[in-house]
């Protein structure tokens, strides 16, 4: 075993510190990205431009961070995780604060591209870090981290709404830029990618050396030097799920950017009421992401099946939005959408980790983020263009629901293949990185058969 990549699964204290650091970063990063729909409405009115232009601006930082994910992995390999995360956090905070003083929409566009480049070092590398460092408690750690983004939606949704009312959108942007600086101290807690663990770093007593290591304790930690290895593209399961996630991201980007303006138009709400739908959306996403990730850890539930089910819930709910009016109905729909989006954020990477070989996990996260970034550059501007042409969001939201349906249809054959493998008596062909709970579930199916 390569000493540079041989890591002991973190003990309780260290594991809690790592998860809390990642949670802190995702609260801020997710809060800024997922509440941009509030600012979109303000920018449309202030700069007097169409929704298709501002919608593109609203997805710029998120899409840039995902498209450059492989580059971020290589930079972290070269300069170290802590250093890259700290510098990028400072740059991100500075760029967001500068956009508060901009008098040009295109200058804001440039500054938000810079913030997206800073996020490049956070989304992919941190998700990969959590997926690889944790094996026994992978679903639990992932549940806390991805749920943090929705928690950030609640917090930043309230902060931005109150700040706009008190200081206009410029004051709101300046405040969230200052808060974003808190990602810097959080980044110092995470360890570098390939730094070998010394005895003093182990918080729990080491057992006597054994000839055979416990698979649930030792984790093979692949280095970023293989980040551009195209072997991952030879995995048909990965290609199929990635294409499905591509269409899902196009649909989700519409909700990210147009949730305020869309529900205001379709449910006939006042702007102030529509803005406060974002915290409700964040609360449901927080609960949904955490719950579905924890459910996926139960031996009687399959992660892939659960992911497909919540995606179907998302598509059906979005399709029903134009049929309801009023704030109460809007809140219920937003809550269902938040729960439906939990599969997109909380389960996708867990599904990939179960259907491919473990050595490809790190590469799969980076390569999946790249087309997701392209999708975010397509969905929201497309929906904005449809609104500018038609004058309402009915067609935009129905297009969103259709894209979710396409994603489900593409993913279904791979889900069926996965189910056949689970019901097969001979599990020797299954990937070796299945969680212990899913192994118990497979064993129970096998015994019944």
């Amino acid at each position: 075993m390569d000493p540079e990549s041989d890591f002991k699964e973190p003990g309780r204290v260290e594991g809690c510190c790592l998860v809390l650091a990642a949670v802190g970063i995702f609260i801020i990063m997710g809060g800024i990205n997922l509440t941009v729909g509030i600012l979109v409405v303000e920018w449309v009115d202030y700069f007097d431009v169409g929704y298709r232009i501002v919608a593109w601006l609203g997805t710029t930082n998120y899409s840039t961070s995902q498209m450059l994910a492989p580059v971020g992995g290589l930079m972290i390999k070269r300069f170290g995780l802590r250093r890259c995360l700290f510098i990028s956090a400072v740059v991100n905070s500075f760029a967001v604060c500068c956009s508060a003083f901009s008098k040009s929409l295109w200058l804001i566009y440039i500054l938000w591209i810079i913030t997206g480049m800073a996020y490049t070092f956070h989304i992919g590398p941190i998700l990969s870090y959590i997926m690889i460092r944790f094996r026994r408690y992978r679903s639990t750690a992932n549940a806390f981290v991805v749920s943090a983004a929705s928690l950030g939606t609640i917090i930043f949704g309230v902060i931005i709404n109150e700040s706009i009312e008190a200081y206009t959108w410029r004051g709101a942007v300046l405040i969230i830029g200052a808060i974003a600086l808190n990602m810097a101290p959080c980044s110092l807690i995470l360890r570098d990618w390939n730094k070998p663990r010394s005895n003093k770093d182990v918080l729990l007593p080491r057992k006597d050396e054994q000839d055979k290591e416990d698979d649930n304790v030792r984790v093979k930690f692949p280095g970023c030097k293989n980040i551009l290895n195209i072997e991952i593209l030879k995995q048909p399961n990965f290609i199929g799920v990635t294409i499905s996630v591509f269409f899902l991201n196009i649909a989700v980007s519409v909700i990210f950017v147009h949730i305020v303006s869309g529900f205001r138009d379709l449910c006939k709400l006042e702007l102030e009421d529509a803005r406060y739908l974002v915290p409700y959306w964040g609360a449901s996403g927080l609960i949904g992401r955490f719950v579905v990730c924890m459910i996926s850890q139960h031996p009687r539930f399959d992660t892939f099946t659960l992911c497909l089910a919540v995606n179907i819930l998302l598509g059906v709910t979005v399709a029903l939005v134009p049929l309801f009016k009023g704030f109460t109905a809007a809140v219920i729909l937003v809550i269902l959408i938040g729960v439906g989006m939990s599969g997109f954020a909380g389960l996708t990477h867990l599904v990939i980790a179960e259907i491919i070989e473990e050595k490809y996990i790190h590469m799969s996260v980076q390569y999946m983020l790249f087309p997701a970034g392209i999708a975010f550059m397509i969905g929201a501007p497309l929906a904005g263009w449809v609104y500018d042409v038609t004058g309402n969001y009915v067609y935009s939201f129905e297009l969103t629901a259709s894209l979710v349906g396409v994603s489900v249809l593409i993913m279904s054959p791979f889900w069926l293949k996965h189910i056949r493998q689970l019901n097969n008596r001979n599990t020797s062909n299954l990937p070796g990185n299945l969680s212990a709970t899913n192994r118990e579930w497979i064993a129970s199916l096998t015994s019944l058969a």
Side-chain angles (χ1 to χ4, degrees), residues 91-124:
V91 171
N92 170 74
S93 176
F94 179 77
V96 173
C97 289
C98 287
S99 63
F101 301 98
S102 174
K103 295 183 179 181
S104 169
L105 187 64
W106 300 110
L107 179 57
I108 295 178
Y109 182 80
I110 295 173
L111 290 171
W112 281 63
I113 289 179
I114 296 175
T115 65
M117 295 173 66
Y119 286 143
T120 296
F121 301 99
H122 293 84
I123 298 179

mmCIF file of all heavy atoms in Angstrom, residues 91-124:
data_model
loop_
_atom_site.group_PDB
_atom_site.id
_atom_site.type_symbol
_atom_site.label_atom_id
_atom_site.label_comp_id
_atom_site.label_asym_id
_atom_site.label_seq_id
_atom_site.Cartn_x
_atom_site.Cartn_y
_atom_site.Cartn_z
ATOM 1 N N VAL A 91 -10.115 35.653 -1.849
ATOM 2 C CA VAL A 91 -10.409 36.222 -3.170
ATOM 3 C C VAL A 91 -11.917 36.285 -3.399
ATOM 4 O O VAL A 91 -12.448 37.284 -3.911
ATOM 5 C CB VAL A 91 -9.731 35.388 -4.273
ATOM 6 C CG1 VAL A 91 -10.201 35.842 -5.657
ATOM 7 C CG2 VAL A 91 -8.214 35.492 -4.165
ATOM 8 N N ASN A 92 -12.623 35.231 -3.010
ATOM 9 C CA ASN A 92 -14.073 35.194 -3.181
ATOM 10 C C ASN A 92 -14.746 36.320 -2.404
ATOM 11 O O ASN A 92 -15.608 37.035 -2.928
ATOM 12 C CB ASN A 92 -14.596 33.845 -2.710
ATOM 13 C CG ASN A 92 -16.105 33.802 -2.634
ATOM 14 O OD1 ASN A 92 -16.796 33.737 -3.645
ATOM 15 N ND2 ASN A 92 -16.636 33.853 -1.428
ATOM 16 N N SER A 93 -14.358 36.501 -1.156
ATOM 17 C CA SER A 93 -14.951 37.558 -0.331
ATOM 18 C C SER A 93 -14.685 38.934 -0.925
ATOM 19 O O SER A 93 -15.582 39.786 -0.987
ATOM 20 C CB SER A 93 -14.391 37.478 1.088
ATOM 21 O OG SER A 93 -14.864 38.540 1.880
ATOM 22 N N PHE A 94 -13.463 39.150 -1.400
ATOM 23 C CA PHE A 94 -13.098 40.446 -1.981
ATOM 24 C C PHE A 94 -13.906 40.730 -3.248
ATOM 25 O O PHE A 94 -14.412 41.851 -3.451
ATOM 26 C CB PHE A 94 -11.601 40.458 -2.296
ATOM 27 C CG PHE A 94 -11.124 41.736 -2.918
ATOM 28 C CD1 PHE A 94 -10.936 42.875 -2.141
ATOM 29 C CD2 PHE A 94 -10.851 41.809 -4.277
ATOM 30 C CE1 PHE A 94 -10.500 44.060 -2.711
ATOM 31 C CE2 PHE A 94 -10.408 42.993 -4.848
ATOM 32 C CZ PHE A 94 -10.233 44.119 -4.065
ATOM 33 N N ALA A 95 -14.078 39.707 -4.111
ATOM 34 C CA ALA A 95 -14.812 39.900 -5.367
ATOM 35 C C ALA A 95 -16.292 40.189 -5.105
ATOM 36 O O ALA A 95 -16.883 41.066 -5.755
ATOM 37 C CB ALA A 95 -14.665 38.663 -6.252
ATOM 38 N N VAL A 96 -16.895 39.484 -4.158
ATOM 39 C CA VAL A 96 -18.302 39.720 -3.838
ATOM 40 C C VAL A 96 -18.493 41.131 -3.292
ATOM 41 O O VAL A 96 -19.432 41.849 -3.664
ATOM 42 C CB VAL A 96 -18.815 38.672 -2.839
ATOM 43 C CG1 VAL A 96 -20.233 39.017 -2.379
ATOM 44 C CG2 VAL A 96 -18.806 37.279 -3.460
ATOM 45 N N CYS A 97 -17.600 41.551 -2.403
ATOM 46 C CA CYS A 97 -17.706 42.907 -1.836
ATOM 47 C C CYS A 97 -17.550 43.976 -2.921
ATOM 48 O O CYS A 97 -18.255 44.989 -2.911
ATOM 49 C CB CYS A 97 -16.660 43.100 -0.741
ATOM 50 S SG CYS A 97 -16.980 42.175 0.774
ATOM 51 N N CYS A 98 -16.626 43.760 -3.855
ATOM 52 C CA CYS A 98 -16.415 44.736 -4.934
ATOM 53 C C CYS A 98 -17.648 44.873 -5.820
ATOM 54 O O CYS A 98 -17.945 45.962 -6.323
ATOM 55 C CB CYS A 98 -15.207 44.335 -5.778
ATOM 56 S SG CYS A 98 -13.612 44.578 -4.966
ATOM 57 N N SER A 99 -18.387 43.772 -6.014
ATOM 58 C CA SER A 99 -19.573 43.839 -6.875
ATOM 59 C C SER A 99 -20.652 44.742 -6.281
ATOM 60 O O SER A 99 -21.520 45.227 -7.007
ATOM 61 C CB SER A 99 -20.135 42.436 -7.105
ATOM 62 O OG SER A 99 -20.577 41.852 -5.889
ATOM 63 N N ALA A 100 -20.594 44.987 -4.969
ATOM 64 C CA ALA A 100 -21.580 45.868 -4.337
ATOM 65 C C ALA A 100 -21.412 47.314 -4.791
ATOM 66 O O ALA A 100 -22.354 48.104 -4.699
ATOM 67 C CB ALA A 100 -21.464 45.782 -2.818
ATOM 68 N N PHE A 101 -20.222 47.687 -5.280
ATOM 69 C CA PHE A 101 -19.957 49.071 -5.694
ATOM 70 C C PHE A 101 -20.028 49.256 -7.207
ATOM 71 O O PHE A 101 -19.768 50.344 -7.711
ATOM 72 C CB PHE A 101 -18.572 49.497 -5.205
ATOM 73 C CG PHE A 101 -18.416 49.406 -3.703
ATOM 74 C CD1 PHE A 101 -17.812 48.305 -3.125
ATOM 75 C CD2 PHE A 101 -18.884 50.407 -2.879
ATOM 76 C CE1 PHE A 101 -17.664 48.204 -1.745
ATOM 77 C CE2 PHE A 101 -18.742 50.335 -1.502
ATOM 78 C CZ PHE A 101 -18.134 49.223 -0.937
ATOM 79 N N SER A 102 -20.387 48.192 -7.925
ATOM 80 C CA SER A 102 -20.399 48.246 -9.382
ATOM 81 C C SER A 102 -21.619 48.996 -9.897
ATOM 82 O O SER A 102 -22.728 48.859 -9.380
ATOM 83 C CB SER A 102 -20.375 46.832 -9.961
ATOM 84 O OG SER A 102 -20.527 46.867 -11.361
ATOM 85 N N LYS A 103 -21.413 49.794 -10.948
ATOM 86 C CA LYS A 103 -22.506 50.498 -11.619
ATOM 87 C C LYS A 103 -22.809 49.883 -12.977
ATOM 88 O O LYS A 103 -23.664 50.381 -13.706
ATOM 89 C CB LYS A 103 -22.152 51.969 -11.791
ATOM 90 C CG LYS A 103 -22.012 52.728 -10.471
ATOM 91 C CD LYS A 103 -21.726 54.201 -10.700
ATOM 92 C CE LYS A 103 -21.620 54.948 -9.381
ATOM 93 N NZ LYS A 103 -21.357 56.405 -9.573
ATOM 94 N N SER A 104 -22.105 48.816 -13.300
ATOM 95 C CA SER A 104 -22.296 48.134 -14.576
ATOM 96 C C SER A 104 -22.629 46.671 -14.322
ATOM 97 O O SER A 104 -21.985 46.005 -13.508
ATOM 98 C CB SER A 104 -21.038 48.233 -15.441
ATOM 99 O OG SER A 104 -21.116 47.370 -16.562
ATOM 100 N N LEU A 105 -23.621 46.161 -15.023
ATOM 101 C CA LEU A 105 -23.995 44.761 -14.886
ATOM 102 C C LEU A 105 -22.877 43.845 -15.358
ATOM 103 O O LEU A 105 -22.662 42.767 -14.805
ATOM 104 C CB LEU A 105 -25.275 44.489 -15.682
ATOM 105 C CG LEU A 105 -25.897 43.095 -15.519
ATOM 106 C CD1 LEU A 105 -26.365 42.882 -14.091
ATOM 107 C CD2 LEU A 105 -27.057 42.916 -16.491
ATOM 108 N N TRP A 106 -22.146 44.286 -16.382
ATOM 109 C CA TRP A 106 -21.079 43.443 -16.928
ATOM 110 C C TRP A 106 -19.882 43.394 -15.992
ATOM 111 O O TRP A 106 -19.156 42.394 -15.963
ATOM 112 C CB TRP A 106 -20.671 43.955 -18.306
ATOM 113 C CG TRP A 106 -21.813 43.922 -19.259
ATOM 114 C CD1 TRP A 106 -22.487 44.985 -19.781
ATOM 115 C CD2 TRP A 106 -22.461 42.743 -19.760
ATOM 116 N NE1 TRP A 106 -23.508 44.554 -20.590
ATOM 117 C CE2 TRP A 106 -23.516 43.179 -20.599
ATOM 118 C CE3 TRP A 106 -22.250 41.383 -19.591
ATOM 119 C CZ2 TRP A 106 -24.357 42.288 -21.257
ATOM 120 C CZ3 TRP A 106 -23.088 40.494 -20.239
ATOM 121 C CH2 TRP A 106 -24.129 40.954 -21.059
ATOM 122 N N LEU A 107 -19.648 44.426 -15.199
ATOM 123 C CA LEU A 107 -18.593 44.364 -14.197
ATOM 124 C C LEU A 107 -18.962 43.356 -13.100
ATOM 125 O O LEU A 107 -18.106 42.600 -12.624
ATOM 126 C CB LEU A 107 -18.356 45.745 -13.587
ATOM 127 C CG LEU A 107 -17.280 45.829 -12.493
ATOM 128 C CD1 LEU A 107 -15.940 45.326 -13.007
ATOM 129 C CD2 LEU A 107 -17.156 47.256 -11.963
ATOM 130 N N ILE A 108 -20.245 43.337 -12.725
ATOM 131 C CA ILE A 108 -20.701 42.329 -11.763
ATOM 132 C C ILE A 108 -20.500 40.933 -12.351
ATOM 133 O O ILE A 108 -20.087 39.994 -11.655
ATOM 134 C CB ILE A 108 -22.182 42.554 -11.411
ATOM 135 C CG1 ILE A 108 -22.367 43.892 -10.693
ATOM 136 C CG2 ILE A 108 -22.702 41.420 -10.527
ATOM 137 C CD1 ILE A 108 -23.807 44.204 -10.353
ATOM 138 N N TYR A 109 -20.768 40.820 -13.647
ATOM 139 C CA TYR A 109 -20.579 39.534 -14.324
ATOM 140 C C TYR A 109 -19.131 39.061 -14.201
ATOM 141 O O TYR A 109 -18.867 37.896 -13.875
ATOM 142 C CB TYR A 109 -20.961 39.693 -15.797
ATOM 143 C CG TYR A 109 -20.868 38.438 -16.615
ATOM 144 C CD1 TYR A 109 -21.867 37.480 -16.572
ATOM 145 C CD2 TYR A 109 -19.772 38.217 -17.451
ATOM 146 C CE1 TYR A 109 -21.787 36.326 -17.326
ATOM 147 C CE2 TYR A 109 -19.681 37.063 -18.211
ATOM 148 C CZ TYR A 109 -20.692 36.120 -18.141
ATOM 149 O OH TYR A 109 -20.597 34.978 -18.880
ATOM 150 N N ILE A 110 -18.174 39.953 -14.442
ATOM 151 C CA ILE A 110 -16.749 39.596 -14.336
ATOM 152 C C ILE A 110 -16.384 39.212 -12.907
ATOM 153 O O ILE A 110 -15.678 38.226 -12.664
ATOM 154 C CB ILE A 110 -15.874 40.765 -14.828
ATOM 155 C CG1 ILE A 110 -16.100 41.012 -16.326
ATOM 156 C CG2 ILE A 110 -14.398 40.502 -14.552
ATOM 157 C CD1 ILE A 110 -15.414 42.257 -16.859
ATOM 158 N N LEU A 111 -16.880 39.994 -11.951
ATOM 159 C CA LEU A 111 -16.557 39.718 -10.547
ATOM 160 C C LEU A 111 -17.152 38.385 -10.100
ATOM 161 O O LEU A 111 -16.521 37.659 -9.321
ATOM 162 C CB LEU A 111 -17.070 40.852 -9.664
ATOM 163 C CG LEU A 111 -16.333 42.190 -9.810
ATOM 164 C CD1 LEU A 111 -17.066 43.294 -9.062
ATOM 165 C CD2 LEU A 111 -14.897 42.073 -9.296
ATOM 166 N N TRP A 112 -18.328 38.045 -10.600
ATOM 167 C CA TRP A 112 -18.923 36.776 -10.196
ATOM 168 C C TRP A 112 -18.255 35.601 -10.894
ATOM 169 O O TRP A 112 -18.311 34.469 -10.399
ATOM 170 C CB TRP A 112 -20.433 36.797 -10.422
ATOM 171 C CG TRP A 112 -21.120 37.541 -9.316
ATOM 172 C CD1 TRP A 112 -20.964 38.859 -9.005
ATOM 173 C CD2 TRP A 112 -22.039 37.017 -8.359
ATOM 174 N NE1 TRP A 112 -21.729 39.198 -7.912
ATOM 175 C CE2 TRP A 112 -22.402 38.091 -7.492
ATOM 176 C CE3 TRP A 112 -22.604 35.774 -8.142
ATOM 177 C CZ2 TRP A 112 -23.293 37.925 -6.443
ATOM 178 C CZ3 TRP A 112 -23.498 35.621 -7.096
ATOM 179 C CH2 TRP A 112 -23.829 36.678 -6.260
ATOM 180 N N ILE A 113 -17.645 35.820 -12.036
ATOM 181 C CA ILE A 113 -16.799 34.778 -12.622
ATOM 182 C C ILE A 113 -15.617 34.501 -11.709
ATOM 183 O O ILE A 113 -15.219 33.346 -11.494
ATOM 184 C CB ILE A 113 -16.315 35.196 -14.033
ATOM 185 C CG1 ILE A 113 -17.474 35.162 -15.031
ATOM 186 C CG2 ILE A 113 -15.198 34.274 -14.506
ATOM 187 C CD1 ILE A 113 -17.083 35.591 -16.431
ATOM 188 N N ILE A 114 -15.049 35.562 -11.143
ATOM 189 C CA ILE A 114 -13.932 35.400 -10.207
ATOM 190 C C ILE A 114 -14.376 34.618 -8.970
ATOM 191 O O ILE A 114 -13.654 33.748 -8.477
ATOM 192 C CB ILE A 114 -13.359 36.776 -9.819
ATOM 193 C CG1 ILE A 114 -12.760 37.459 -11.052
ATOM 194 C CG2 ILE A 114 -12.305 36.638 -8.716
ATOM 195 C CD1 ILE A 114 -12.287 38.881 -10.793
ATOM 196 N N THR A 115 -15.569 34.917 -8.456
ATOM 197 C CA THR A 115 -16.060 34.153 -7.299
ATOM 198 C C THR A 115 -16.245 32.682 -7.667
ATOM 199 O O THR A 115 -15.977 31.792 -6.852
ATOM 200 C CB THR A 115 -17.393 34.721 -6.786
ATOM 201 O OG1 THR A 115 -18.413 34.551 -7.775
ATOM 202 C CG2 THR A 115 -17.264 36.192 -6.450
ATOM 203 N N GLY A 116 -16.702 32.414 -8.895
ATOM 204 C CA GLY A 116 -16.843 31.028 -9.330
ATOM 205 C C GLY A 116 -15.504 30.326 -9.416
ATOM 206 O O GLY A 116 -15.378 29.145 -9.058
ATOM 207 N N MET A 117 -14.478 31.026 -9.889
ATOM 208 C CA MET A 117 -13.139 30.440 -9.937
ATOM 209 C C MET A 117 -12.645 30.128 -8.527
ATOM 210 O O MET A 117 -11.945 29.137 -8.304
ATOM 211 C CB MET A 117 -12.189 31.401 -10.649
ATOM 212 C CG MET A 117 -12.527 31.627 -12.117
ATOM 213 S SD MET A 117 -11.523 32.930 -12.899
ATOM 214 C CE MET A 117 -9.909 32.158 -12.842
ATOM 215 N N ALA A 118 -13.011 30.964 -7.565
ATOM 216 C CA ALA A 118 -12.626 30.700 -6.179
ATOM 217 C C ALA A 118 -13.349 29.469 -5.641
ATOM 218 O O ALA A 118 -12.759 28.649 -4.926
ATOM 219 C CB ALA A 118 -12.931 31.921 -5.309
ATOM 220 N N TYR A 119 -14.630 29.314 -6.000
ATOM 221 C CA TYR A 119 -15.392 28.151 -5.539
ATOM 222 C C TYR A 119 -14.890 26.854 -6.152
ATOM 223 O O TYR A 119 -15.221 25.769 -5.662
ATOM 224 C CB TYR A 119 -16.870 28.324 -5.881
ATOM 225 C CG TYR A 119 -17.602 29.326 -5.024
ATOM 226 C CD1 TYR A 119 -18.591 30.152 -5.580
ATOM 227 C CD2 TYR A 119 -17.323 29.458 -3.668
ATOM 228 C CE1 TYR A 119 -19.277 31.067 -4.799
ATOM 229 C CE2 TYR A 119 -17.994 30.374 -2.888
ATOM 230 C CZ TYR A 119 -18.963 31.179 -3.453
ATOM 231 O OH TYR A 119 -19.632 32.085 -2.686
ATOM 232 N N THR A 120 -14.104 26.958 -7.236
ATOM 233 C CA THR A 120 -13.550 25.764 -7.869
ATOM 234 C C THR A 120 -12.784 24.907 -6.875
ATOM 235 O O THR A 120 -12.763 23.680 -6.964
ATOM 236 C CB THR A 120 -12.618 26.177 -9.030
ATOM 237 O OG1 THR A 120 -13.390 26.840 -10.030
ATOM 238 C CG2 THR A 120 -11.946 24.971 -9.647
ATOM 239 N N PHE A 121 -12.137 25.551 -5.906
ATOM 240 C CA PHE A 121 -11.325 24.829 -4.939
ATOM 241 C C PHE A 121 -12.147 24.289 -3.766
ATOM 242 O O PHE A 121 -11.582 23.681 -2.844
ATOM 243 C CB PHE A 121 -10.223 25.745 -4.397
ATOM 244 C CG PHE A 121 -9.314 26.275 -5.466
ATOM 245 C CD1 PHE A 121 -9.480 27.552 -5.983
ATOM 246 C CD2 PHE A 121 -8.304 25.491 -5.988
ATOM 247 C CE1 PHE A 121 -8.647 28.043 -6.973
ATOM 248 C CE2 PHE A 121 -7.471 25.964 -6.982
ATOM 249 C CZ PHE A 121 -7.639 27.248 -7.480
ATOM 250 N N HIS A 122 -13.452 24.535 -3.783
ATOM 251 C CA HIS A 122 -14.265 24.133 -2.643
ATOM 252 C C HIS A 122 -15.215 22.980 -2.962
ATOM 253 O O HIS A 122 -15.213 21.973 -2.256
ATOM 254 C CB HIS A 122 -15.077 25.331 -2.132
ATOM 255 C CG HIS A 122 -14.241 26.408 -1.527
ATOM 256 N ND1 HIS A 122 -13.618 27.383 -2.278
ATOM 257 C CD2 HIS A 122 -13.913 26.674 -0.239
ATOM 258 C CE1 HIS A 122 -12.949 28.198 -1.474
ATOM 259 N NE2 HIS A 122 -13.125 27.798 -0.240
ATOM 260 N N ILE A 123 -16.023 23.105 -4.006
ATOM 261 C CA ILE A 123 -17.098 22.137 -4.233
ATOM 262 C C ILE A 123 -16.550 20.734 -4.485
ATOM 263 O O ILE A 123 -16.769 19.810 -3.699
ATOM 264 C CB ILE A 123 -17.983 22.581 -5.402
ATOM 265 C CG1 ILE A 123 -18.652 23.918 -5.091
ATOM 266 C CG2 ILE A 123 -19.046 21.518 -5.674
ATOM 267 C CD1 ILE A 123 -19.532 24.432 -6.210
ATOM 268 N N GLY A 124 -15.836 20.554 -5.603
ATOM 269 C CA GLY A 124 -15.339 19.225 -5.956
ATOM 270 C C GLY A 124 -14.354 18.644 -4.961
ATOM 271 O O GLY A 124 -14.529 17.517 -4.480
#
